[in-house]
Amino acid sequence: MLMTLIQKEMMHHILSVRFVALLVMCLLLIPITLSINHRNYRQNLVDYQEAVKLANIEETTINPQMELKPELEVSKFFLKPSPLSVFANGLGDALPSYLGMTRNGIVQGASSLVSDSLSYLLGHLDFLFLVSTVFSLLALLFTFDVVAGEREAGTLRITLANSLPRDIFLWSKLIGGYLVFVVPFLVSFLFGLLVLVWQGFPLGEPEIFPRVLSLTLVSLLYIGVFFAIGTVISTYLDNSKTALIVAFTVWVFAVLITPRVGFIAAKFIAPTQTSQSIYLEKTALRENFNAELEARKKEIHQEFWKDRPQSSFEEQIAGGLEMDKQVQPLEEEFRQKFKDSADEIDRRYKRSKTRQEGVGETLSRITPTSSLIYVATNLTQTGKIKRNNYFQAGDRYYDALDTDLFSKVLDYISMRTMRPEDTVKITQPSPLETPTLTETLRQSTVDVLLLCFFAVILTTVAFLKFFRSDI
């Protein structure tokens, strides 16, 4: 009986205008979007390779005895684009293209949004956008009248009068509509993957295919959530037109408004400074320390030469070297004070930023759309995990440069001697490590469980309401 009802429901959807709209969107949007984004990825990869090549042919050795300006970028850590960005652009264009290493700290290079800012006024089109926005709306259009339409037409009373169990009836509606929906979706997605492979996308690599498969499963789960939402709306309302209006309103709030409101509210709940203001604060701190240091050095200089008679040039050089030895402990003291103060500024900023982001994430997870975006961008290496790994790798690289170079730069030397043996070779940063799929899913467990929770709870609510309805 269930299979017969499922086939009947599938034929009902296949013969409707909604199925035609779904088929056209799947066949056109998915393959074309994947193809266009793959071309963008290849261009971004070429830009990255050119930037790295240019940085490698620049000066890679520095003598700490030279006067090194605090704002000078002695090295750069570039962000390599992810091949999986063809599915979800995520934070790829918002992250800085490189992290510049200076004595004042890490400077962030310009992102792609700077050069292509006008195009982002209209938003970015990728596979994640299609699933989260377009197909979620189509899923509601497939389900808003599964019960309300039958009740309005009077066929629901006739159908259930034949001793048909209500659970069988509702399961046939859900399963039949879902199968009709996902088959064109999966076929078009498979065709899009073939187009990518034809263009040279490394789909068969061990780190690529499992992630694409996981992305597909998460997308199907997300579509299932919106099928459950549409069914809940249909069981609570008797009029299909009213159900359509309510379904569209729910979609607007769930997909377009609530995920953004969460982070807007977080800025008021947990305000924080910008990265540029932190850099300027550390720059001002260094200038204050340098001014105080210069005043102390001037006092030492006056005290040192006060009782010394006019001497020869050789004696002046010897006196200058002796004075440098007296100034060295003071310089080291001020260097350590600046480092401790700068580290405290960084820790304070990171704590406030982490708190603000945590509040925004929590508030945005009220809707399943946010959970899908978090999981999908982590799977495609364009989300929070990639961003955190990028900045953490930059911090480790900066610490290594601070040990090898910055800590050896001496501002107090009055007589500088450039000896070849003092030259320090700037080490190139190590490639950014990519977390395994297991680690990615472990860090995305909350969002995956939330999607499952939404699907189960909403389906249960729909069945409970339908069982208690007076037909």
Side-chain angles (χ1 to χ4, degrees), residues 21-282:
L22 170 67
L23 189 61
V24 171
M25 288 189 178
C26 288
L27 292 177
L28 290 180
L29 290 180
I30 294 180
I32 293 176
T33 300
L34 294 178
S35 177
I36 293 174
N37 281 285
H38 183 258
R39 292 178 183 273
N40 292 336
Y41 159 72
R42 292 173 62 179
Q43 182 59 50
N44 292 336
L45 184 61
V46 171
D47 294 341
Y48 162 80
Q49 293 170 343
E50 291 295 329
V52 172
K53 182 180 178 181
L54 180 62
N56 287 339
I57 64 177
E58 295 177 351
E59 185 66 38
T60 57
T61 59
I62 290 182
N63 195 317
Q65 302 296 327
M66 67 182 292
E67 188 175 357
L68 187 63
K69 295 181 179 180
E71 66 275 8
L72 177 66
E73 296 180 4
V74 301
S75 184
K76 296 178 181 180
F77 180 34
F78 289 93
L79 177 63
K80 184 178 181 180
S82 170
L84 288 166
S85 61
V86 300
F87 299 97
N89 190 58
L91 297 173
D93 291 332
L95 291 176
S97 57
Y98 71 89
L99 301 177
M101 307 296 155
T102 73
R103 291 178 61 194
N104 272 352
I106 299 178
V107 180
Q108 297 183 4
S111 65
S112 299
L113 294 179
V114 175
S115 58
D116 297 329
S117 57
L118 187 60
S119 64
Y120 282 85
L121 287 175
L122 304 177
H124 191 85
L125 181 64
D126 55 21
F127 177 75
L128 176 58
F129 173 81
L130 294 180
V131 174
S132 63
T133 304
V134 178
F135 291 109
S136 61
L137 178 59
L138 289 175
L140 290 179
L141 295 179
F142 263 66
T143 54
F144 77 93
D145 61 347
V146 289
V147 176
E150 296 268 4
R151 183 185 288 114
E152 187 179 18
T155 56
L156 180 61
R157 182 186 300 272
I158 298 174
T159 302
L160 296 180
N162 296 323
S163 301
L164 175 67
R166 295 193 178 192
D167 58 336
I168 297 295
F169 172 81
L170 196 55
W171 275 123
S172 67
K173 292 288 184 179
L174 280 173
I175 297 175
Y178 187 76
L179 290 177
V180 170
F181 193 96
V182 300
V183 169
F185 172 78
L186 292 176
V187 171
S188 301
F189 185 57
L190 179 60
F191 179 69
L193 293 179
L194 294 177
V195 172
L196 288 181
V197 173
W198 177 70
Q199 291 180 340
F201 182 76
L203 181 62
E205 291 188 2
E207 281 297 318
I208 300 294
F209 181 76
R211 290 178 178 271
V212 174
L213 180 60
S214 301
L215 177 63
T216 306
L217 296 177
V218 171
S219 300
L220 295 177
L221 176 60
Y222 175 76
I223 292 172
V225 170
F226 274 85
F227 260 79
I229 293 175
T231 305
V232 170
I233 294 172
S234 186
T235 55
Y236 272 85
L237 299 173
D238 297 333
N239 186 277
S240 58
K241 292 182 180 180
T242 304
L244 177 60
I245 296 174
V246 172
F248 184 74
T249 304
V250 170
W251 176 83
V252 169
F253 277 93
V255 177
L256 301 181
I257 296 179
T258 306
R260 294 164 174 81
V261 169
F263 283 94
I264 295 175
K267 292 182 179 180
F268 296 95
I269 298 174
T272 184
Q273 296 175 269
T274 63
S275 59
Q276 185 64 23
S277 66
I278 293 297
Y279 178 79
L280 294 176
E281 183 178 351
K282 290 193 290 185

Side-chain angles (χ1 to χ4, degrees), residues 302-333:
Q302 293 175 349
E303 183 69 23
F304 182 83
W305 293 103
K306 182 176 63 175
D307 299 329
R308 288 178 179 266
Q310 295 293 330
S311 56
S312 63
F313 179 72
E314 290 77 7
E315 291 176 338
Q316 289 181 3
I317 293 178
L321 293 176
E322 183 179 349
M323 191 183 70
D324 286 343
K325 292 181 181 180
Q326 295 183 17
V327 172
Q328 182 175 359
L330 184 64
E331 176 79 13
E332 294 298 333
E333 177 188 347

Side-chain angles (χ1 to χ4, degrees), residues 6-23 142 176-177 179-181 183-184:
I6 291 176
Q7 293 176 4
K8 176 180 177 294
E9 185 66 21
M10 291 176 64
M11 290 302 302
H12 170 72
H13 284 295
I14 291 174
L15 297 176
S16 66
V17 178
R18 288 174 289 189
F19 180 76
V20 177
L22 170 67
L23 189 61
F142 263 66
L179 290 177
V180 170
F181 193 96
V183 169

